[in-house]
Amino acid sequence: MKKESFKVCFCCVRSFKVKSSEPPEEIKNLFHEYSKDERMSADELLRFVIQVQGEKHADISHVKDIFHLLKHHGVFHPRGLHLEGFYRYLLSDFNSPLPPAREVWQDMNLPLSHYFLYTGHNSYLTGNQLNSDSSIVPIVEALRKGVRVIELDLWPSSSGKEAEVRHGG
């Protein structure tokens, strides 16, 4: 099995075994919708970044920077991104929901208890903690309001092959 790693809170690295290296169908569909001839050009990626990811500030220079960064990670083709490259881009630090801090800008000499960290507890719930549904909408709202840590309760799906975000067992 293939092993993948991801950063947690920009400091810790977690690894997991990937049961399938295939991107999910949703990613494949997005890729095919925004690409031609099995490659995504800079213009097509720009359209995706603006329309799907809501990055209204993005321009062709921003996308070329993404292409340049991906060149050094072996997921780039001169004619554009292929499906695997697009999938890896979506999961990479280059596509972080928040721009990673380049340097510490606060005085960090005090004990940890002196700092405030804006977090979201059960951020995926649409209402109260007892009987509300799970959704991505509250997560998006929390991130837009400035929450920097999102809690997700992951449980095995009924098939046992995937994880679901839901409250309680």
Side-chain angles (χ1 to χ4, degrees):
M1 279 188 193
K2 186 176 176 182
K3 196 170 185 181
E4 291 284 337
S5 297
F6 62 97
K7 283 187 182 178
V8 179
C9 296
F10 305 108
C11 60
C12 301
V13 176
R14 299 277 187 226
S15 297
F16 61 96
K17 291 181 181 175
V18 179
K19 293 182 180 179
S20 169
S21 60
E22 285 279 312
E25 279 304 310
E26 296 90 349
I27 302 300
K28 289 178 182 178
N29 293 340
L30 271 174
F31 179 77
H32 293 301
E33 183 180 337
Y34 284 87
S35 66
K36 286 186 246 174
D37 303 324
E38 301 300 315
R39 300 276 184 236
M40 186 178 283
S41 69
D43 289 334
E44 292 161 343
L45 182 59
L46 176 61
R47 189 168 59 96
F48 168 81
V49 166
I50 292 171
Q51 291 178 356
V52 176
Q53 301 203 152
E55 296 183 38
K56 305 296 182 207
H57 70 280
D59 59 12
I60 199 69
S61 171
H62 172 70
V63 171
K64 287 183 179 180
D65 288 344
I66 293 170
F67 275 28
H68 179 71
L69 292 168
L70 291 174
K71 278 184 196 178
H72 303 294
H73 287 74
V75 294
F76 179 78
H77 188 276
R79 293 182 315 180
L81 289 177
H82 47 75
L83 176 60
E84 181 186 349
F86 177 67
Y87 183 48
R88 287 189 162 265
Y89 158 68
L90 291 176
L91 299 177
S92 74
D93 290 339
F94 310 131
N95 190 35
S96 173
L98 304 168
R102 297 287 179 224
E103 58 188 55
V104 177
W105 53 273
Q106 293 178 328
D107 174 13
M108 301 303 290
N109 295 316
L110 300 172
L112 187 59
S113 61
H114 289 224
Y115 299 95
F116 176 74
L117 180 61
Y118 196 17
T119 64
H121 175 68
N122 292 336
S123 304
Y124 51 87
L125 294 177
T126 59
N128 67 52
Q129 299 239 356
L130 299 176
N131 59 2
S132 62
D133 293 324
S134 300
S135 170
I136 63 167
V137 173
I139 295 171
V140 172
E141 289 174 9
L143 289 170
R144 287 189 174 141
K145 289 179 181 175
V147 167
R148 297 298 183 248
V149 177
I150 297 290
E151 173 193 357
L152 298 176
D153 290 341
L154 299 175
W155 295 88
S157 66
S158 58
S159 69
K161 295 182 179 181
E162 295 181 350
E164 294 178 348
V165 175
R166 59 186 157 101
H167 193 58

